[in-house]
Amino acid sequence: METWQNLLGFSGYVLGLTRDELASVQWADSIPTLMGALVGGLLTLHAANKTFKGQQTMQRQQLLDMEKAFLQSINSELAMVRQHYQTVIGNEIDQLPDGKPFESNYSVTGDYFTVYNKSDQIGHVRDEKLRRDIIWAYSMMKGLLDSYQTNNDMLAKREQDMKDFRYSSKMVGLLDANTRSAELTQYAETLKTYHLEARAAVDSALESIDETLKHEKNWKV
């Protein structure tokens, strides 16, 4: 009896009829029609479910494709920034003797992190360690460039002190310039530390990105 009631309920769902309406049906004459409607209804439900699952799969794949494209872009940007930095500044700081100031003045005011700064995809990187590595690498590089700007400002102040001494012949200008030189020498050690730490952070992030990208299973639903 319970099975029959369940069948009536499901039949009503498929045919859009209430239980009372179903009960008034002339079953002997209507069974072929009912069975056809049930089969048709089941096929429709199956097709709708398959379509829904297909759409879900497509959406998940699109998210994976977006994440992969973002990581590929970040990988390219970090690699280029590292290479440019090492060529323009890094080699010089590597060769700087201990106890010497960093005398070069490099412009570090440009936007070297276009992909990272203009994208909100970092929050969608699934791997927590990879996400941390990328954020840390960019934070360290930004901090390093800020440090070079600080060094530039110190060089400019020392130059101004020397100009004041040359034009006024006042010893205070020379003393100030010597003080700046001592500060620059001390700050050079800070620069070398930041240089090594930032480069290591970038190398670690690049290694993590490469390791993630090379596994195809990470990019298929």
Side-chain angles (χ1 to χ4, degrees), residues 3-21:
T3 301
W4 174 248
Q5 290 177 341
N6 289 338
L7 180 58
L8 278 178
F10 180 71
S11 300
Y13 172 74
V14 173
L15 297 174
L17 300 176
T18 66
R19 286 179 179 271
D20 291 339
E21 289 172 332

Side-chain angles (χ1 to χ4, degrees), residues 21-44:
E21 289 172 332
L22 283 170
S24 65
V25 174
Q26 298 296 323
W27 292 105
D29 297 332
S30 302
I31 285 178
T33 302
L34 175 61
M35 293 304 296
L38 285 174
V39 171
L42 289 172
L43 290 175
T44 300

Side-chain angles (χ1 to χ4, degrees), residues 80-127:
M80 287 189 293
V81 167
R82 188 201 187 288
Q83 181 180 10
H84 180 72
Y85 164 77
Q86 188 61 34
T87 301
V88 176
I89 307 177
N91 290 332
E92 185 174 350
I93 199 77
D94 280 333
Q95 297 169 11
L96 184 67
D98 293 338
K100 296 291 184 180
F102 187 68
E103 302 277 3
S104 298
N105 190 318
Y106 288 107
S107 175
V108 291
T109 56
D111 184 4
Y112 301 99
F113 313 113
T114 304
V115 174
Y116 183 79
N117 289 339
K118 294 187 176 181
S119 174
D120 60 355
Q121 288 296 311
I122 187 63
H124 298 288
V125 175
R126 291 163 297 158
D127 188 304

